[in-house]
Amino acid sequence: MLVTKNAAELCVLLVNELYGQLPSRLMATLISKGRLTVPHLAHHTSLNHRQVRHGIVVLVQQSLVFTFTDQDSAVTYYEANVDGAYNLIRTGKILDMIDTKFGRPAKLLVHDVLLLGHAEIAEVVRRYKGERTSQKKPGDVDPCRNHVNGDGALSPFTDSEEPDPAGEAYNVLAQLIGLGFLESVSTMTYQSPQDFKSTVEQDVLKDFPNGVRGSKQASEYDTRLRERMREIRAERTSLKRELEMKIEFEPSAKRRKLLNGGASNGLTLTSGGYWLRDQEGHTVIRLNYEKCLVELRNQKLAEQVEDLIGDTTAHVYRAVLSALSRKISGCQADPSTMTDDELMGVRVKTGEVYEHLNPSVDVSAGIGTASEDEIDIRRAEKIRRYPPETKGSSLRATLEEGDELMASDDEDYDHSAETGNGSAVNGSRESKADVVNGDVSPRSYRLRWMRQHLLILAESKQGFVRHCGSDEWTVDFSPLLQHLRYLELDTMIEETFGRQGLRLTRILREKGKIDDKTLPTMALMRKPDVHVKMAEMEMAGFLDVQEVPRDNNRAANRTIFFWFFDEERTLKRTLDNTYKSMVRCLQRLEVERRKKRNVLSVTERKDVKGMEEEKLRGDVYNEYIQFLELEKKLLGQVSRLDDLVAIFRDF
């Protein structure tokens, strides 16, 4: 796999940070040399075979290498999994996301899976039981009692009830596997995408002994290839689909609690946990980074809505994204393995969104007030059946042929109640008669208010939601993420080249290639200023120029210079600079650790760890605190840079 020097150096540093020098040395060799066998690795690294095998075991256990076995010679080759190595930097974000969405027990289980790399379900449950037993002392409150859900709600356990750690673990694992955050491991899991596709192609070619000839056979071959890849994907996700059905048929109240971050009480096994314990205890599982990326993308989009629209609308948007995520396997799924629903576009009903909405959210808040005469219902209920076109930095969301305008598409939406009791559907709060015992209004009223937030999202300039059919909603991720990329690029350009540089970039992004004589007029700038700024941005790699000579002499005064913005090249260059910045942060952290190695060696002692303030002298403790502050700043900067990588590359 071809990667830049900075990306390769970053991956090696991450492996060294978590797993030590030996695995990182092998990773560096695999990245630079490509596929190698154990003898070749020993030759290039000057290590003996025993050391190489030990390091390879660690890399395989943590899914940091791909394996390929030649059927003729029975020799196994190893190839660096660069994406897997980079994902190590997101471990903290993933654990925080799991904690917020599913609660502390789920975070502990995922943490164990991450430490083990991959492990049997029964082994993960045994480790979880051991941790719970060791954490709890006689007379202590259970450590997970106050962390049942992501909002910190109290556990339903009474003083006389004690949770069953094994039952709790099986219930949470069933939920995580059913929703796709954990996946089962098979022999194909450690094949590179290229090897996997090649293996399937060779398998399908056996049905064509004379080769693929003609357009008809080529079409038949492509169809069989797609069907075979979907069959393999269905086999790999059979455990997920089985547990997904178990969760789906749970009682409605319990399912809504699970979907909103609640955990089972651990006293009794749910249907999914019971089935997982009896049927699949020896199944090997690992973390599914692709599904975790989907959830991290949801968090980023919800933060944008919260900043631009408001907190309540952001809660509704999180419910939309959560409902959609159950039908999405990854941010950049392979079309050849996607299901029919994913190919046609994932949609959700209003009722599905409501099922994922946290019951504690007051959906009547966050909406302005307007009279009925000021609202054009037909425009508000606009249905766009096709996604918006993207061009430059703006979205072309005009109505296409086949789009419709409808008055309403929600059966629970009653216009007769819009002005009843002095309330208006578009924004005023509900009357006191609609509030029961201080709680929010019943289902029909909550649906009505929630739907107003959905319409706000659909009418937003960014197009966070598209009203795509009768009682159906979807999210067009491609234009949304393009908009996020442009926001980040605009911020960089403005900080580096000022407002004039940003103005010129936006013009070129919107219009395409422009002559250097026309550009000053469009930008309302002096020609010398434009030339200086454009040359400066070209040197930095944000803009490019194409020379078109008018004759064979190629004289400057007889040449037309077309300036343009190359988005793909700019993103690649920006990504590489981001990798370089992350490498510098990690290198600086290692230097600071060497400077403070005397202090850190003392804090790592068992009799000092956790009691640094009491055990250390004042000057030593102050040095330790200063190092922690510096470490926090450097790792925080790495985390912010990773947000850029996610937006530019992964989302």
Side-chain angles (χ1 to χ4, degrees):
M1 181 179 294
L2 297 176
V3 295
T4 64
K5 174 182 176 295
N6 292 318
E9 190 173 359
L10 175 62
C11 292
V12 173
L13 284 174
L14 291 172
V15 175
N16 182 66
E17 177 76 15
L18 294 178
Y19 305 112
Q21 184 179 7
L22 177 58
S24 66
R25 189 170 175 180
L26 296 176
M27 174 64 70
T29 304
L30 289 172
I31 292 176
S32 61
K33 302 295 183 180
R35 282 185 176 180
L36 295 173
T37 61
V38 170
H40 289 153
L41 275 170
H43 171 72
H44 289 293
T45 58
S46 300
L47 300 171
N48 58 47
H49 286 206
R50 178 177 172 275
Q51 292 172 322
V52 171
R53 289 193 179 96
H54 179 74
I56 284 293
V57 167
V58 175
L59 294 176
V60 171
Q61 183 74 21
Q62 301 297 331
S63 301
L64 299 177
V65 293
F66 296 120
T67 61
F68 173 77
T69 303
D70 190 344
Q71 297 180 355
D72 297 331
S73 61
V75 175
T76 300
Y77 293 84
Y78 300 95
E79 180 182 352
N81 181 4
V82 179
D83 291 334
Y86 181 83
N87 285 333
L88 296 175
I89 208 168
R90 294 180 175 142
T91 301
K93 290 181 180 179
I94 291 174
L95 290 175
D96 288 342
M97 178 269 294
I98 294 292
D99 189 13
T100 302
K101 190 172 180 65
F102 300 104
R104 181 173 172 79
K107 178 183 178 180
L108 294 176
L109 287 166
V110 172
H111 181 262
D112 289 341
V113 173
L114 284 170
L115 286 179
L116 296 172
H118 63 258
E120 290 185 350
I121 293 176
E123 174 63 22
V124 177
V125 173
R126 281 195 295 270
R127 286 178 61 91
Y128 181 76
K129 288 177 62 178
E131 290 173 358
R132 290 286 299 274
T133 304
S134 62
Q135 289 178 3
K136 186 177 179 182
K137 299 178 182 178
D140 289 349
V141 178
D142 188 271
C144 295
R145 183 180 297 272
N146 295 330
H147 298 277
V148 168
N149 58 34
D151 299 325
L154 292 179
S155 166
F157 306 144
T158 62
D159 293 336
S160 62
E161 293 175 333
E162 290 296 334
D164 174 22
E168 184 178 44
Y170 278 114
N171 291 338
V172 176
L173 285 175
Q175 183 185 5
L176 292 173
I177 297 173
L179 295 177
F181 290 94
L182 296 177
E183 63 178 356
S184 57
V185 176
S186 64
T187 55
M188 292 184 180
T189 303
Y190 292 95
Q191 283 186 329
S192 67
Q194 296 81 7
D195 289 338
F196 170 70
K197 188 174 182 180
S198 177
T199 302
V200 177
E201 288 175 348
Q202 293 177 7
D203 187 29
V204 175
L205 278 175
K206 294 179 181 178
D207 298 334
F208 300 87
N210 298 325
V212 180
R213 301 177 180 176
S215 59
K216 183 177 180 180
Q217 285 192 347
S219 177
E220 184 180 356
Y221 169 78
D222 292 338
T223 302
R224 292 191 183 184
L225 181 62
R226 286 193 298 270
E227 291 176 354
R228 179 58 183 153
M229 296 189 75
R230 291 182 184 180
E231 289 175 2
I232 294 175
R233 179 189 177 186
E235 293 173 1
R236 293 171 60 179
T237 58
S238 59
L239 178 61
K240 173 186 178 300
R241 288 183 285 108
E242 183 71 29
L243 290 171
E244 191 176 20
M245 292 176 61
K246 298 290 183 182
I247 295 174
E248 190 67 28
F249 287 102
E250 292 283 358
S252 179
K254 182 183 291 185
R255 185 170 69 252
R256 287 191 61 191
K257 181 181 178 182
L258 291 173
L259 292 174
N260 285 291
S264 169
N265 59 17
L267 297 173
T268 58
L269 285 168
T270 62
S271 58
Y274 182 85
W275 184 88
L276 185 64
R277 184 193 66 179
D278 292 348
Q279 300 291 332
E280 301 291 338
H282 296 290
T283 300
V284 180
I285 58 174
R286 70 172 185 178
L287 185 68
N288 185 358
Y289 281 100
E290 292 185 3
K291 189 66 176 183
C292 293
L293 273 178
V294 173
E295 189 61 35
L296 293 176
R297 179 179 67 180
N298 293 349
Q299 290 184 355
K300 185 64 177 179
L301 293 176
E303 290 172 2
Q304 287 290 316
V305 172
E306 186 174 359
D307 292 339
L308 297 175
I309 300 178
D311 181 64
T312 306
T313 307
H315 282 294
V316 175
Y317 194 51
R318 288 188 181 96
V320 176
L321 295 172
S322 180
L324 286 170
S325 296
R326 296 198 63 183
K327 306 177 183 180
I328 299 175
S329 58
C331 294
Q332 298 176 354
D334 185 359
S336 61
T337 61
M338 293 173 65
T339 62
D340 294 336
D341 291 340
E342 290 175 333
L343 288 172
M344 297 299 294
V346 179
R347 303 182 177 191
V348 291
K349 298 280 188 180
T350 306
E352 294 180 66
V353 178
Y354 180 80
E355 287 294 323
H356 288 76
L357 182 64
N358 194 320
S360 63
V361 176
D362 182 7
V363 288
S364 65
I367 302 179
T369 304
S371 64
E372 183 180 0
D373 298 335
E374 297 175 346
I375 302 174
D376 186 351
I377 296 295
R378 296 184 72 253
R379 297 296 299 179
E381 299 289 343
K382 187 186 324 183
I383 291 180
R384 289 190 171 92
R385 301 193 182 278
Y386 308 105
E389 298 179 0
T390 57
K391 181 180 179 182
S393 59
S394 61
L395 297 180
R396 307 300 188 185
T398 56
L399 285 175
E400 302 290 343
E401 183 179 357
D403 288 1
E404 300 177 5
L405 298 177
M406 300 182 64
S408 177
D409 61 27
D410 197 335
E411 295 177 357
D412 295 325
Y413 183 61
D414 184 10
H415 286 284
S416 63
E418 288 178 3
T419 57
N421 297 324
S423 64
V425 69
N426 62 320
S428 63
R429 292 184 177 273
E430 298 157 315
S431 64
K432 294 182 179 180
D434 297 333
V435 180
V436 180
N437 297 328
D439 295 334
V440 294
S441 12
R443 174 185 172 89
S444 60
Y445 286 95
R446 282 180 58 82
L447 270 173
R448 185 172 55 128
W449 287 108
M450 184 194 74
R451 196 169 178 281
Q452 303 309 307
H453 290 280
L454 290 174
L455 292 175
I456 290 175
L457 291 167
E459 295 170 2
S460 63
K461 177 183 177 182
Q462 293 77 15
F464 289 110
V465 167
R466 177 161 56 89
H467 197 185
C468 57
S470 178
D471 195 24
E472 291 182 333
W473 313 84
T474 189
V475 175
D476 301 309
F477 291 104
S478 295
L480 265 180
L481 294 171
Q482 185 189 52
H483 178 73
L484 285 180
R485 285 192 288 268
Y486 285 150
L487 284 179
E488 297 294 344
L489 284 175
D490 288 351
T491 302
M492 293 181 188
I493 293 171
E494 185 176 7
E495 291 178 351
T496 307
F497 306 104
R499 295 291 298 176
Q500 291 183 341
L502 177 60
R503 185 192 311 169
L504 293 170
T505 304
R506 286 180 171 175
I507 292 173
L508 294 174
R509 201 162 63 204
E510 180 76 19
K511 303 298 183 181
K513 293 182 179 180
I514 300 179
D515 180 12
D516 63 339
K517 296 180 180 179
T518 308
L519 192 56
T521 304
M522 298 184 66
L524 302 178
M525 294 172 58
R526 296 172 57 247
K527 190 174 181 178
D529 296 340
V530 170
H531 287 174
V532 171
K533 187 63 65 176
M534 299 295 280
E536 183 182 353
M537 298 178 70
E538 182 192 14
M539 292 289 291
F542 285 95
L543 298 180
D544 208 342
V545 63
Q546 178 183 3
E547 300 179 9
V548 181
R550 296 182 180 179
D551 51 35
N552 295 331
N553 295 328
R554 305 183 68 88
N557 58 354
R558 299 289 298 170
T559 301
I560 303 176
F561 296 92
F562 288 103
W563 292 92
F564 62 95
F565 174 79
D566 190 341
E567 180 180 353
E568 183 178 358
R569 177 187 172 190
T570 302
L571 289 178
K572 288 182 179 179
R573 192 182 185 99
T574 304
L575 268 176
D576 194 51
N577 290 335
T578 305
Y579 296 144
K580 185 176 182 179
S581 299
M582 298 169 80
V583 168
R584 296 296 178 264
C585 290
L586 293 177
Q587 289 176 338
R588 171 67 187 278
L589 180 60
E590 184 62 27
V591 170
E592 293 298 329
R593 284 174 178 165
R594 292 176 183 174
K595 290 181 179 179
K596 304 291 184 181
R597 59 181 178 272
N598 294 331
V599 175
L600 296 179
S601 63
V602 175
T603 59
E604 290 175 358
R605 286 166 41 185
K606 293 183 179 180
D607 60 332
V608 176
K609 187 175 295 185
M611 298 182 293
E612 291 84 358
E613 188 173 2
E614 294 82 3
K615 298 289 185 179
L616 298 179
R617 298 196 313 268
D619 55 341
V620 177
Y621 181 72
N622 290 335
E623 287 187 38
Y624 178 64
I625 293 298
Q626 291 173 2
F627 170 78
L628 291 181
E629 289 294 327
L630 180 60
E631 182 183 49
K632 182 179 179 181
K633 291 178 181 179
L634 290 172
L635 294 180
Q637 180 66 14
V638 171
S639 178
R640 285 189 289 270
L641 291 171
D642 174 59
D643 291 339
L644 292 179
V645 175
I647 293 174
F648 290 150
R649 189 192 71 177
D650 297 328
F651 291 167

